[in-house]
Each structure stands twice: as C-alpha cells, then as structure tokens.
C-alpha cells in the first residue's frame, strides 16, 4: 500500500475518532487493528494526528489523550512527538489570528498540553530500569530538543513580551527540559554516548534559554542547577561561546536574584485603597474576574480580612473624593459602587465565612475604621453635603443594600448605625434580572422606567443593567427578522441624554458589550423598504449612531473597544476619515450626485423630501457631512450662497433625524477655526454659521434634548478652537456668545486624563516636579499606614497622578523614582509597608487591562511592570555599584510578579472536565457517541469497536473506504 494512501487512511481514522468522541480504551483497540492493516512510521502517525482540526474554543482532552496513548503503546516515541509539535508550533507562532483567538477564549496551546504529557511519560520512564532502547530514545531526543532550543531563542530571544499562548509553550518546554535533563542523567548517556557536537550545541544554547524563562524564577533555577549537575557547561571552552550566550544577564543574574533575602509581605490598608481608586477614577473598570483574582492572591484564604478591607477601601475612596472636591458625577459613581456593586462582591465571599464570624461582623469592623465624625448620630448631621453627611448617607444606603442581598439581617441596621434609620428597604424588594427582562419584553415602557431607577442607591442596579443589556441585545437580534427598531431607538435616546447612567452601567459591563452589537447593526444597516418613507430610517439610524459616538467620547475609548476591526466597516471608516472633507474631484460620480442633491435640498426650494433620503442611505449621508459643510461655507465665502440662506439651510440639520450629523459638522468647524490666521479670512461667515448651529434662535422640544447631547460631545474641542480665534481677534462678539453656550453644555468625561490644574500643581512641586509629587504620594501613604489610620487624615490620592507621570516622564523614570523612595523609606521600622504600597501602584488596574476579551493589536505604552522587569534583568549589574538598590529591585519584582502571577494563568485554567463538556456540547447531534473513560468492560471492547466501525461506515464520505479496511 502506498505511503500517501496509508497517510490518508490514518488521517480519516483520526478525524473519525475525534468526531465520534471515542474513549481512550476504544481508541487503543482501534489503533491496534488499524496498525495491522496499514502500518506507518511513528513520525507519520503522530504528524497525521497533529494535522487534525484544532480550532475549537477549548482544548479537546481526547486529542491530547490520543497522543499520550500512542506514546505509551510504543507506536510513537518522544522524539517523534517533539519534532512534530515543533512544526505545528512554528505555524502557530506565525498565525496572529490564531493567537488572538486563543487569547480571547483563554485557550491553552495544544503544544503546551502535549509537552506536559511528555513530562509524565519521562517521569514514568525514570522509574524503570534503563535499557538499550531507552538510551537510544534519549539520544535521538537530543536532536529535536536542540532544534526546539534554537527555534525558541531565534524567534523569541529578543522579545520583550510574548502572547500568553506562546508563553505557555515556552514555559512548558522549560519544564520538559528539566525532566529530560534528569532523564539523561538517569539513563547514563551523557558521559559516553552523546556526540560531542550535540553536547556543544546543547550546553551552548541552554544558558540563553534560561534567560528567556527568567520570568519564572523557580524554573530558571531548576534549569541552572541541572545544567551544572550534568556538567554540560564545562564541556564548552569559554572562548568559543558568544558573549551574548552567557553574560552577566544569564547565569550570574539568576544566581544573584536567588541570593537576595526577603521578608514576608505585609497587607496594608493603602494597597486596596489604591486599587479601588484606580478602578473608579475614570471609566469604571468592571472586570470582576480580575478583581476577584487580585483579592484572592492578596489575601489567600483570609476571607474575613478581605471583606473588611474592601469595605474599608471603598469608603476610603469615597472620603478621598469628597475631600478632593471631585465632581458630583464622580462622587455619585463611587456611592453607586458601594451600594450597588460592593454587595454583589461580598455575596461571592459570604459562603466562605463560617460562624462565629459573619459578613455583618466584617462590615461592622470596616465601618468602625471610618472617620470618627461619621460615627455621629444620623440626626445630628444637618448638612447632608458635608463630609460626615455624605458618608452617613452612603453608610446607610450600603447597609440596606446588604440587607437586600441577605448579607445582614435588616433588624441589625439600626444597631450598626447607632440611630433609627431614615431609609428603608425598596418597596419592590430585590429585583431578578430574568423577571425584569420578561417585564421589558411585555411592556417596552418598562425599559425607560428601569433606566430611571439606575441612579437609585438601593442595590438593584446590577440586575437592572443585566436586564436592559439583555433586552437590548434581543432587540438587535430581532431586527434581522421584524426590522422594528423603534424600541431600540427609545433606549438609545434615553441613554444619550444620561451620561451619569452610562457611568453606572459600566460598573457592571464592558463597553464592547454594548458597542459591538450596535456597531455591527450600524455596519449591516439596511433601509426599511416596507415602511414607505425614509424619515424614520434616518431617525432610528441616527439615534443608534449618536449613542455610539457619545459612549466613545464620554469614556475616551480607543477604537478597539468598539469590538470591530474588519476592513470595510462603516464605523471604522467614519471614525478614521468621516471628519475630513473631500474635494468634489475626488468623489465618485454617485457621491457627487448625492452631494448635489443634499445641497439643493437644504439651500434651495426643494427641501428634504423622501426622494432625497431614499437616494442616499444614512451611512452614505454621514460620510458626506464634512464635505457638505466644507462646500457650503466655501460657496458662502465666494458669494454663491448668502449668509441668510446658509443659516436657513442649517435649520434643517436641527431636525431630530439629522441632528447626529452635527457632531461631524461642528467638528469640521473646530478644525477650520484652528486654521484661522491673523487676517481672519472667512470668520465673517464661519462664526455666524457656527452660532446658528450652537445657539439656534428656535428649536423644537424633541430636538432640544438631542441637541444638548450633541453639544456635550463637541463642546470641548470647539471651545479650545474658539479660544485660539479670540486670542487673534478679541473683538469678535460672537465668540463670547458661542463659548458661553458651549460652557453650559460641557460635561466631565469619565477617563483617566488629568485636568490642567492638577498637572500644573504636580509639575510645580519643588525638588523635581511631577516625579517628586509621585514620591511624596507614596511617602504620605506609607506614613498613613504606619500610624493609626482612624486618627490620621486620609492622604490625598488619585491614580491619575501615576498615569500622568508615566505619560510625561515614561514608565522607567517613574519606577526608578519609586525605587528611590523605597530606598529612602527602608530605614524605617516597617520597610515592607512602602514595598506593599509601591507594589499596589504598579499592579493597579488600567484601561488596557480591562478589554473584555478584545485583543488589542496596536502599539501600547510601556507599563510600570515592563519597566520594573527591565530593572530586574539588570539587577546583577546594578548590584556591583549599588547593592541596596539592586536588592530593593529584586524584592519589589518578586512582590509584583507574585500579585500578578495568578492573573497570567487565570485565562488558561480550564479543567479537562470543562473542556470535555464544551466539546461534547459543541459536537452533540446525530450519531455522536460520548462514553465515560473506563466505563466499558474488557469483554465488550470488541463489540464497541465493531459498533464504532459500523457507525463510521454508515456515514459514508471520503473516509468510508479506509475505515472499512478495519
């Protein structure tokens, strides 16, 4: 039988076994029968298996089980597997799409799982007495093993960071290297049977690989120790080793890093205070998995301290915001977090606290740490806007929310407050998301009512958000069938006018949860021919389009948060070039015709009629808006269009169904004003036209609310451009009128950008500017933790300072400044306090950490962790001139990596049972066979094999003949 034919048969055989979910015992029996009919080499066999489709959302445990079974049966040996998975790994490394998909689904690379299986095989082999066959296998493994080393060093040796699937494979190979080197020592082939050239290559590349895995200190230490024990490094003359292969950043660095002594880390009050502040300072970072991960690593099994500290940190964050006179929106967001989000977090841990301890005890402990003024009787707090008044309100709201979630008994609230509460439980009790979805489905007006309830401090916001999002997604999906977007339009219009509500929504979901389906709906938008007129089409499209732009602006979201990255997307095209006017000569014939129709419709007697809108879809119109404004103003400036006609035409754009286009139009004005020179050419046209749009003489009630929402998006850039013009032309009275209107519509954005006042204050810090301000912040937090926090004033803190310092100075300078501050504080009685605080500053969450599964492919700024890793790599060199500083770097690095280590592994942790369940569900259908491993008596194996073969043959197809040979 030809080799090609045999390979094809084995390919069909493996595909059938995977498709049929054949158990391992049945698989072994089938392999024996197949091997008798079509024997192939071990390399061909394993290579065929590895070529099977592995694109499922999770690793198929049967796939890796098949590989291990083939090795255990002797049909395939370790060098065959090692050589074959190197080829598949090379393909994976070059496939950016596959890497992105693996990251998105938290999928572990198959190569990593197979290497882990080989480690178990080596461990089993070590327990057996070595024989000639074992020694031969060990020697043959040297070649593919060295090939792996060469490939990893060549491909990733200079990489600053690897994607998680690739990093998993590198680490798995490192552990395999430890097992393999131990195996070489056991079988005793190093001294006599290994060729000298292999020993030279093997021992030469291994130090470089140790450097590559230096992020895993334990693994690097094991490899270094085994290399010395096997004596491989002694077989290579130092003169023949490239300086890049074994320098001070290699073995000496690892040896030094391991030699630094350390003390157990402490858990300070400031650590979680920093984390919560970073979560809520800008767009709420709602990654619950990351938060739980952080808490679990920080507190291990000490759940009572965890609960006490997170309640304390939440109220500390609120107190700090009030002391800093943060905006009302910021304070409301933090209060909503305490009342609506914190009880759900505590519910997660409530089952881990056992009597006599309880959530009530932990909450009482936390509240006792608050400012003593907050312990005054509630009725004595007359001014509800004072610090004590707001804290007392928040405390009461939080306790009732805890009672709503059944974390504490309602009757205990009076005792915990020390006063008869003025609040009560919500009349409707605790909401259920499923019930709310049913209510919204039955009565669409219920959605508006729920949106209005989101700002209530009652503890129900999480279920409300879940219901609104789920119902909205149901509506988006149903549009493909019934094309009824009226309800969705209403939701979008309400949310567009309530940015505070959007803030609270983001406490529970990622932006792309909303934006991705809306953007896809916009991209796939089809005109509703059955409606008879196109006015509603523009109206519905504009409402959805406006909400997308408002969310993007309000949270200062980069484009990848929209959840769309494919070419041809209308949203991507609009965001990248929709604001740029084009010359008529660059437009297509159809675009020129549409532009002409709109100019005539707006400025001539025809008006905006259904014929005009039916000839130009909403998407095409919005891509023409910048050009429409540009041509209109040019025509007015050369006298082809009067100013009154221009302003009269602009009134059409104030209709609700065209109002969203003003975001592009007013953005064009902002850009055009920046181009104004001292001569002021065109201002006599630009300013009156802008005033007609910003402050129209009259506007309908339906349009007024949408007009305010539009101005909130463009107010800031327009104001800045008007300031530029006013500096050149101070006598233009229209500027003051327009600026005053824009100022009344300027709304604070939820992003991590610092204000000009903050930046000026930090940069003016004596002794070093903003870096000194950062050091002062770390110092004040340490002093606060070293004293009795109840009696000490809460330090003024915002994580915006750290991010601003990184943008101004770079991450490396900030980390070096923090290391200097640690060195300054080391002489104190509690040096571990400052280490914990700086660790918290480095590991605090950022917007780039909270992408909701969206893979960001663009360039990113160097993080504090990246900068610390660079210093850690240079620790040995630094120790030669400044040993205390090098020790600080090593100790700080250990704490940072320990805190983030679980985060790196969390996405890859999926149990074999979960994987099997996913794949069984994915493959469920006619003819699918799912069997428990080992659940078939030995006597029935032949019957099972026969049954499987019958089912496979019954399917027919290309693989039928090869299976019949069994």
């Amino acid at each position: 039988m030809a080799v090609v034919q045999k390979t094809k048969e084995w390919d069909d055989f493996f595909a059938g076994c995977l498709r049929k979910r054949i158990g391992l015992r049945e698989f072994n029996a089938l392999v024996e029968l197949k091997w008798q009919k079509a024997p192939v080499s071990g390399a061909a066999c394993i290579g065929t298996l590895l070529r099977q489709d592995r694109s499922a959302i999770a690793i198929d445990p049967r796939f890796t089980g098949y590989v291990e079974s083939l090795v255990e049966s002797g049909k395939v040996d370790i060098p065959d597997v090692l050589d074959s998975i190197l080829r598949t790994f090379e393909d994976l490394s070059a496939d950016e799409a596959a890497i992105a998909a693996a990251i998105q689904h938290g999928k572990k690379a198959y190569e990593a799982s197979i290497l882990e299986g080989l480690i178990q095989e080596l461990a089993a082999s070590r327990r057996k007495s070595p024989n000639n066959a074992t020694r031969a296998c060990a020697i043959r493994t040297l070649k593919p093993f060295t090939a792996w080393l060469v490939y990893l060093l060549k491909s990733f040796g200079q990489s600053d960071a690897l994607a998680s699937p690739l990093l998993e494979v590198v680490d798995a190979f490192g552990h395999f290297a430890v097992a393999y080197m131990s195996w070489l020592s056991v079988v005793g082939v190093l001294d006599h049977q290994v060729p000298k050239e292999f020993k030279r290559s093997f021992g030469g590349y291994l130090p470089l690989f140790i450097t590559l895995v230096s992020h895993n200190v334990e693994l690097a230490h094991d490899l270094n120790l085994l290399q010395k024990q096997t004596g491989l490094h002694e077989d290579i003359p130092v003169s023949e080793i490239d300086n890049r292969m074994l320098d001070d950043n290699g073995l000496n660095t690892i040896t030094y890093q391991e030699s630094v002594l350390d003390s157990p880390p402490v858990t300070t009050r400031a650590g979680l205070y920093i984390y919560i502040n970073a979560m809520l300072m800008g767009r709420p970072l709602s990654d619950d998995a990351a938060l739980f991960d952080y808490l679990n690593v920080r507190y291990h099994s000490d759940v009572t301290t965890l609960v006490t500290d997170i309640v304390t940190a939440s109220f500390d964050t609120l107190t700090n915001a009030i002391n800093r006179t943060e905006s009302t929106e910021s304070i409301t967001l933090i209060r909503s977090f305490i009342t609506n989000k914190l009880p759900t977090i505590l519910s997660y841990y409530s089952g881990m606290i056992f009597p006599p301890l309880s959530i009530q005890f932990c909450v009482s402990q936390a509240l006792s740490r608050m400012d003593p003024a907050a312990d005054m009787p509630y009725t004595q707090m007359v001014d509800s806007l004072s610090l004590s008044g707001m804290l007392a309100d928040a405390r009461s709201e939080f306790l009732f929310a805890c009672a709503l979630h059944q974390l504490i008994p309602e009757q205990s609230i009076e005792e915990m407050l020390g006063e008869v509460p003025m609040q009560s439980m919500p009349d409707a009790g605790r909401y259920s998301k499923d019930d709310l979805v049913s209510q919204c489905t039955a009565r669409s007006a219920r959605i508006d009512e729920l949106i209005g309830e989101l700002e209530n401090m009652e503890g129900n916001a999480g279920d409300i958000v879940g219901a609104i999002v789920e119902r909205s997604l149901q509506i988006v999906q149903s549009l493909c069938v019934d094309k009824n977007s009226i309800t969705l339009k209403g939701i979008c219009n309400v949310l567009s006018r309530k940015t505070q509500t959007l803030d609270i929504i983001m406490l529970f979901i990622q932006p792309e949860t909303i934006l991705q389906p809306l953007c896809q709906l916009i991209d796939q938008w089809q005109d509703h021919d059955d409606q008879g007129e196109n006015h509603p089409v523009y109206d519905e499209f504009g409402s959805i389009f406006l909400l997308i732009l408002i969310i993007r602006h309000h949270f200062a979201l980069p484009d990848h948060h929209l959840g769309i990255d494919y070419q041809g997307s209308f949203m991507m095209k609009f965001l990248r070039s929709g604001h740029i006017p084009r010359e008529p000569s660059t437009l297509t014939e159809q675009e020129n015709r549409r532009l002409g129709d709109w100019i005539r419709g707006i400025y001539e007697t025809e008006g905006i009629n259904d014929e005009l809108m039916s000839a130009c879809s909403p998407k095409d119109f919005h891509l023409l808006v910048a050009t429409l404004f540009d041509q209109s103003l040019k025509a007015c400036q050369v006298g082809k269009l009067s100013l009154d006609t221009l302003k009269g035409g602009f009134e059409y754009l104030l209709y609700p169904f065209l109002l969203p286009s003003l975001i592009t139009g007013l953005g064009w004005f902002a850009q055009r004003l920046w181009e104004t020179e001292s001569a002021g050419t065109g201002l006599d046209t630009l300013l009156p036209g802008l005033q007609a749009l910003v402050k129209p003489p009259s506007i309908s009630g339906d349009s007024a609310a949408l007009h305010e929402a539009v101005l909130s998006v463009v107010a800031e850039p327009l104001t800045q451009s008007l300031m530029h013009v006013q500096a050149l032309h101070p006598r233009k009275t229209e500027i003051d009128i327009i600026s005053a209107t824009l100022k009344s519509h300027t709304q604070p954005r939820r992003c991590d950008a610092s204000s000009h006042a903050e930046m000026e204050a930090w940069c003016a810090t004596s002794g070093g500017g903003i870096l000194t301000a950062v050091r002062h912040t770390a110092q004040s937090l340490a002093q606060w933790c070293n004293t009795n926090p109840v009696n000490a004033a809460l330090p003024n803190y915002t994580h915006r300072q750290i991010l601003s310092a990184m943008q101004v100075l770079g991450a490396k300078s900030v980390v070096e400044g923090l290391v200097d501050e640690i060195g300054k504080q080391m002489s104190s009685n509690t040096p571990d306090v400052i280490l914990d605080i700086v660790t918290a500053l480095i590991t605090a969450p950022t917007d780039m950490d909270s992408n909701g599964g969206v893979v960001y492919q663009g360039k990113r700024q160097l993080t504090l962790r990246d900068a610390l890793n660079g210093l850690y790599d240079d620790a040995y060199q630094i120790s030669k001139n400044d040993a205390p500083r090098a020790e600080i770097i090593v100790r700080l690095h250990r704490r940072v990596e320990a805190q983030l280590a679980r985060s790196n592994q969390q996405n890859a942790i999926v149990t074999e049972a979960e994987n099997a369940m996913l794949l069984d569900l994915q493959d469920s259908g006619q003819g699918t066979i799912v069997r428990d491993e080992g659940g078939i008596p030995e006597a029935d194996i032949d019957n099972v094999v026969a049954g499987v073969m019958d089912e496979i043959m019954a399917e027919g197809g290309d693989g039928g003949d090869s299976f019949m040979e069994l």
Side-chain angles (χ1 to χ4, degrees):
M1 186 182 296
V3 175
V4 175
Q5 177 64 23
K6 290 182 180 179
T7 303
K8 176 64 168 59
E9 291 184 12
W10 278 97
D11 184 69
D12 294 338
F13 170 77
F14 288 134
C17 290
L18 289 169
R19 185 173 63 253
K20 289 294 181 180
R21 318 294 296 134
I22 303 302
L24 294 184
R25 296 183 66 188
E26 301 96 300
F27 175 78
N28 289 333
L30 287 168
V31 167
E32 289 294 337
L33 293 173
K34 185 63 181 175
W35 201 274
Q36 297 173 11
K37 297 291 184 179
V40 291
S41 66
C45 181
I46 190 64
T48 303
L49 175 56
L50 292 176
R51 284 195 296 271
Q52 300 304 311
D53 179 28
R54 298 181 290 172
S55 60
I57 61 174
I59 286 183
D60 185 351
R62 284 178 172 78
F63 187 97
T64 54
Y66 291 172
V67 175
E68 294 169 12
S69 293
L70 290 174
V71 175
E72 290 174 3
S73 67
K75 299 292 189 296
V76 173
D77 59 13
I78 292 176
D80 292 332
V81 178
L82 206 58
D83 184 64
S84 296
I85 61 173
L86 175 58
R87 301 177 192 277
T88 63
F89 183 61
E90 290 173 350
D91 295 337
L92 172 65
S93 304
D95 192 342
E96 296 181 358
I99 294 174
I103 295 174
Q104 180 176 2
H105 295 294
K107 177 182 175 182
K108 191 173 184 178
Y110 273 94
E111 289 77 9
S113 295
I114 293 173
L115 283 167
E116 291 169 0
L118 293 182
I119 293 173
Q120 299 300 319
E121 180 63 23
L122 288 178
S125 180
R126 287 182 59 184
R127 292 191 290 268
K128 302 175 183 177
S129 300
N131 53 42
N132 291 335
T134 305
R135 295 186 182 94
C137 182
I139 294 173
R140 289 199 304 112
T141 305
L142 268 174
K143 186 173 183 179
F145 181 85
T146 307
W148 264 93
L149 282 176
V150 172
Y151 177 76
L152 293 179
L153 294 175
K154 181 180 178 181
S155 301
F156 310 125
Q158 303 300 321
S159 299
D160 295 329
L162 293 179
S164 55
L166 304 181
L167 187 62
E168 290 168 357
V169 176
V170 172
D171 284 351
F173 180 77
H175 290 293
F176 174 81
V178 172
Y180 177 56
M181 293 170 66
S182 300
W183 188 42
L184 288 178
S185 300
V186 170
V187 298
V189 299
L190 279 176
D191 295 335
H192 307 291
Q193 295 175 281
V194 176
K196 186 175 182 180
E197 59 271 18
F198 274 113
K199 294 177 68 174
R200 186 179 299 274
S201 299
F202 187 54
Y205 283 110
L206 199 54
L208 271 179
F209 181 73
I210 293 174
T211 303
L212 180 61
V213 297
S214 59
H215 60 273
N216 190 328
V217 177
E218 183 178 355
L219 174 59
H221 176 269
D222 291 343
L223 285 169
N224 182 35
L225 182 63
L226 278 168
Q227 185 188 26
K228 293 178 179 179
Q229 290 176 348
T230 55
L232 287 172
H233 65 294
E234 298 173 355
D235 291 324
I236 308 171
V238 176
S239 60
E240 297 183 19
I241 300 179
D242 192 322
N243 290 331
R244 293 170 299 176
M245 295 173 57
L246 188 58
D247 56 13
D248 288 338
N249 288 325
L251 296 175
N252 291 333
T253 296
I254 295 173
T255 302
Y256 171 75
Q257 293 164 351
E258 286 291 303
S259 68
V260 174
L261 300 178
D262 207 347
S263 56
V266 300
T267 302
T268 64
R269 178 172 176 176
L272 204 49
Y273 169 53
I274 292 168
Y275 191 96
I276 299 296
N277 190 293
M279 277 180 58
L280 302 177
M281 64 160 181
R283 172 177 69 84
L285 304 180
S286 56
D287 191 343
D288 290 348
L291 173 61
F292 289 135
D293 192 18
Y294 184 90
L295 294 173
N296 295 338
V297 171
R298 183 171 177 83
Y299 291 94
H300 301 289
S301 59
D302 189 0
V303 180
T304 54
T305 303
L306 183 159
V307 171
T308 303
D309 283 1
I310 193 172
V311 175
T312 302
S314 300
F315 278 96
D316 285 344
T317 303
L318 176 60
T319 304
N320 177 63
I322 298 171
N323 288 337
R324 284 176 47 81
T325 62
E326 295 277 3
S327 66
T328 302
E329 291 80 7
S330 294
I331 294 173
T332 301
L333 176 66
I334 298 172
R335 288 180 64 179
S336 184
F337 171 82
I338 292 174
T339 304
N340 291 308
K341 184 68 179 284
L342 187 54
T344 65
I345 297 173
L346 301 186
S347 297
Y348 176 82
Y349 290 104
S350 61
M352 306 178 194
I353 299 178
F354 304 99
L357 301 177
S358 64
I359 290 288
Q360 180 180 345
F361 170 80
C362 298
V363 170
S364 298
Q365 289 292 106
L367 295 182
S368 67
R369 298 181 181 178
M370 292 171 55
D371 190 309
D375 292 328
M376 297 168 56
Y378 194 91
T379 54
Q380 295 181 21
M381 300 177 186
V382 180
D383 183 6
S384 62
L385 298 180
S386 67
L387 170 61
S388 297
M390 278 194 273
L391 285 176
D393 288 343
R395 182 172 60 172
S396 177
E397 293 160 355
F398 170 65
L399 291 178
F400 275 100
C402 287
L404 184 71
H405 287 258
Q406 299 181 344
L407 296 171
I408 63 174
E410 183 180 358
Q411 57 269 24
S412 68
I413 295 177
E414 180 177 342
E415 178 184 353
M416 298 174 74
L417 287 175
E419 182 74 14
V420 177
M422 301 177 64
Q423 191 178 345
S424 62
M425 297 280 280
D427 295 336
R430 184 177 178 183
Y431 285 160
S432 165
K433 186 194 76 171
D434 294 337
D435 290 342
L436 294 180
V437 171
S438 300
Q439 295 173 22
C440 295
T441 304
R443 186 170 64 92
S444 59
R446 180 59 173 151
I447 300 178
D448 293 347
E449 296 171 0
L450 291 175
I451 292 176
E453 293 182 33
L454 273 175
E455 296 184 33
N456 295 344
M457 303 298 173
E458 296 179 342
N460 275 322
D463 291 297
I464 294 176
V465 169
I468 293 173
V469 171
E470 182 170 326
R471 179 57 187 150
S472 299
L473 295 180
Q474 289 175 356
I475 295 172
V476 170
Q477 294 169 358
S478 68
L479 286 178
C480 300
V481 180
D482 56 25
K483 299 184 179 180
N484 177 20
S485 56
I486 303 300
T487 304
L488 186 60
K489 168 195 165 184
I491 298 174
C492 293
N493 284 341
V494 173
L495 292 179
S496 295
R497 297 192 292 265
K498 294 188 173 184
T499 53
Q500 179 71 75
T501 300
L502 290 175
D503 295 343
I504 296 172
I505 289 175
M506 292 304 159
L507 282 172
F508 301 94
I509 64 171
Q510 301 283 352
E512 45 273 13
T513 304
I514 295 178
L515 292 177
Q516 186 174 38
L518 292 182
C519 288
Q520 290 177 345
L521 177 62
I522 288 290
D523 286 340
Q524 300 166 7
W525 188 271
Q526 299 293 328
D527 295 343
H528 303 178
D529 299 331
D530 58 331
Q531 288 185 312
E533 56 178 316
N534 285 272
H535 172 281
V537 176
Y538 270 71
D539 203 6
E540 294 156 15
F541 180 95
S543 299
I544 301 169
F545 186 53
L546 178 59
L547 178 61
I548 294 172
L549 297 180
I550 285 178
I551 293 176
R552 179 176 179 269
H553 165 79
H554 182 62
F555 297 111
L557 297 175
D559 291 344
H560 71 269
H561 268 296
L562 299 180
I564 53 173
D565 57 2
Y566 49 88
Q567 297 297 323
S569 163
F570 161 76
M571 284 304 306
M572 296 304 294
K573 186 176 181 180
F574 173 82
L575 293 174
R576 292 172 181 172
S577 60
H579 62 288
I580 302 174
R582 294 180 288 168
E583 292 297 325
S585 59
T586 64
L587 300 177
T588 66
E589 180 180 350
Q590 187 180 44
E591 289 172 333
N592 266 309
R593 183 170 61 254
R594 289 169 177 165
L595 178 63
D597 291 343
W598 276 102
I599 290 175
R600 286 189 293 273
I602 292 176
Y603 301 116
E604 298 180 6
T605 58
E606 298 178 13
I608 299 177
N609 53 39
D610 192 65
E611 182 181 354
L612 171 61
M613 290 186 288
S614 64
C616 181
S617 70
K619 289 190 289 188
D620 294 327
F621 167 72
H622 282 282
L623 291 175
L624 284 175
V625 169
T627 304
L628 175 63
F629 272 79
D630 188 61
Q631 293 299 310
S632 299
L633 270 294
K634 285 180 178 178
C636 189
Q637 289 168 1
V638 299
K640 292 186 177 181
L641 193 67
S642 70
L643 184 58
D644 289 338
T645 303
L646 178 74
K647 293 193 290 185
F650 279 174
E651 292 180 2
Y652 284 111
L653 301 178
L654 297 174
Y655 289 172
F657 63 95
L658 293 181
L659 254 172
S661 67
L662 289 192
I663 291 182
T664 304
L666 294 176
W668 175 89
F669 270 103
Q671 182 61 38
R672 184 67 182 82
L673 289 171
W674 276 112
E675 299 170 1
T676 302
E677 299 177 353
S678 56
T681 306
L683 282 181
D684 292 338
T685 303
L686 283 171
L687 292 177
L690 178 60
Q691 184 175 347
L693 292 172
V694 173
K695 192 175 182 181
S698 64
I699 188 170
S700 68
D702 292 339
S703 297
L706 289 177
H707 185 254
E708 292 180 1
V710 168
L711 290 185
S712 70
V713 176
V714 298
E716 185 177 348
L718 262 179
T719 300
Q720 292 174 352
S721 62
L722 286 170
M723 291 172 61
H724 164 71
V725 175
Q726 192 168 42
L728 298 175
H729 306 279
R731 297 184 180 180
K732 292 290 184 180
T733 58
E734 300 100 321
I735 296 178
D736 291 330
I737 298 173
I738 299 172
S739 297
T741 303
L742 292 173
K743 184 177 181 180
S744 65
H745 289 89
T746 302
Q747 296 182 0
R749 302 170 74 185
R750 297 301 310 175
C751 60
D752 54 21
S754 301
S755 66
H756 292 294
E758 287 175 326
M759 288 297 297
E760 289 177 358
W762 295 331
C763 292
T765 304
S766 60
I770 192 171
L771 184 59
T772 300
V774 169
R775 293 185 59 176
H776 286 173
T777 296
Q779 182 181 0
S780 64
L781 289 168
Q783 291 173 349
W784 177 56
C785 293
N786 283 327
T787 58
N788 185 349
V790 174
N791 299 322
L794 184 70
N796 186 318
Y797 176 73
T798 174
H799 201 67
R800 289 194 296 268
Q801 183 188 66
I802 305 298
L803 300 182
S804 298
M806 290 172 59
Q807 293 172 351
V808 173
L809 304 173
K812 183 178 180 182
S813 296
V814 175
V815 168
E816 289 177 339
L818 291 172
V819 169
D820 291 338
E821 186 60 32
I822 294 173
K824 181 180 177 181
Q825 299 277 330
M826 275 297 182
S827 57
S828 66
N829 294 329
T830 54
D832 288 313
V833 169
I834 187 65
L835 277 170
D836 182 72
I837 289 170
V838 175
T839 298
L841 293 174
I842 294 175
T843 59
T846 65
D847 178 69
M848 286 304 297
D849 300 326
S850 187
N851 285 343
V854 175
V855 181
Y856 178 50
Q857 302 291 353
K859 296 181 179 179
R860 66 174 179 85
Q861 184 183 15
L862 196 71
T863 65
L864 294 177
R865 184 189 184 189
D866 296 332
L868 178 61
N869 286 337
L871 291 177
Y872 179 73
D873 291 340
D874 296 335
Y876 175 71
Q877 293 289 356
I878 296 172
S879 69
K880 295 179 179 179
N881 301 316
D882 192 346
R885 180 180 177 83
E887 291 181 4
I888 290 171
I889 291 171
V890 172
R891 294 177 66 185
L892 178 62
H893 182 269
R894 287 174 183 168
R895 283 164 169 75
V896 169
E897 292 305 309
Q899 180 61 66
L900 297 176
R902 187 74 60 86
S903 298
N904 290 338
Q905 301 170 8
Q906 189 68 26
N907 289 335
I909 298 177
V910 181
T911 65
E912 182 172 310
E914 290 172 328
N915 287 344
M917 179 183 68
L918 283 171
L919 289 161
D920 289 341
L921 289 174
Q922 182 181 6
D923 294 336
S924 63
Q926 294 182 352
T928 301
I929 299 175
V930 181
R931 301 183 179 89
D932 293 331
E933 302 295 348
I936 303 172
E938 190 70 31
D940 294 337
I941 284 290
D942 292 339
N943 294 331
V944 171
V945 171
V948 170
M949 290 189 293
D950 290 342
E951 292 181 18
I952 293 174
M953 288 187 292
E955 287 187 355
D958 294 337
D961 292 341
S962 61
F963 274 106
M964 288 177 66
E965 289 192 15
L966 286 172

